[in-house]
Amino acid sequence: MSSHSDANDTARLKREAATWAVDAFFRSSMVVGLGTGSTAAFAVQRLAESRAQGRLVDVRAVPTSRETEALARGLGVPLTTLDEDPVVDVTVDGADEVAPDLSLIKGGGGALLREKIVAQASRRLVIIVDAGKLSPRLGTRWPLPVEVLPFGWRSQSLFLESLGASVAVRRDERGEPFLTDQGNLVLDCDFGPIDHPEELAARLGSRAGVVGHGLFLGLTTDLVVAGSNGVEHRTRPT
């Protein structure tokens, strides 16, 4: 019973954070980015509600995954692409783990590459989470997703192990290797608490065959946290 209650509480907090963020940051005539995952889905729903009620007009959205695209399209949200609108006014997305400096681990939903592309194209990146996603250091509570080409993936696994990770191939609900929207594999890498995320990001970024990783560093401008005491808004430390 308590686990069901906890799940309901977590969903409620996610919805509160998403609702607050959309109401606070989305404005009419904006190009907005829509993240992927359960928390971001609440933001898509709030955007659709706001359009239906006439509070937001002429908003075009860039989805970060096929899953988000299908949800937004089903709710009647007008969609665009980075080819048509290469600069995004504000993106709202979730995160798996958030450090005090607002650096993130993302990719639990498997959309890490597209999410980072949209985040880097955004003037403002608003991350919405429940308080359970806050962490003293990245890697404390969540493995780091690394997206790799299927070609030669075992060599990437050995490379990641050489950096100190315990590596697992992500699998789907059928037990088959999970494939991203780009047709790539995701290796979930347990490094433990990461002391030097910038250094690790540089190592991963220089490796051929690694097409993306879930370290989002220096991208978050705003954090919206929903907890037992309500919604809190934080900005990136300067």
Side-chain angles (χ1 to χ4, degrees), residues 96-192:
D96 300 307
E97 194 169 21
V98 184
D101 66 352
L102 305 196
S103 59
L104 316 171
I105 284 181
K106 286 180 50 58
L112 56 157
L113 182 56
R114 291 192 185 187
E115 287 175 334
K116 189 172 286 185
I117 290 171
V118 174
Q120 290 177 339
S122 301
R123 293 190 174 102
R124 197 167 196 169
L125 176 62
V126 180
I127 296 298
I128 49 176
V129 295
D130 62 272
K133 298 297 177 64
L134 303 180
S135 174
R137 200 162 14 148
L138 295 182
T140 302
R141 301 177 179 174
W142 199 266
L144 176 66
V146 178
E147 185 169 342
V148 300
L149 290 173
F151 176 81
W153 74 267
R154 288 189 184 276
S155 67
Q156 311 309 339
S157 182
L158 290 175
F159 167 70
L160 293 162
E161 289 174 1
S162 77
L163 298 181
S166 174
V167 180
V169 180
R170 187 177 298 182
R171 298 191 177 275
D172 61 22
E173 63 278 358
R174 299 169 299 172
E176 299 295 323
F178 172 86
L179 296 179
T180 68
D181 285 349
Q182 289 71 238
N184 296 321
L185 299 173
V186 174
L187 303 181
D188 287 312
C189 302
D190 186 356
F191 286 95

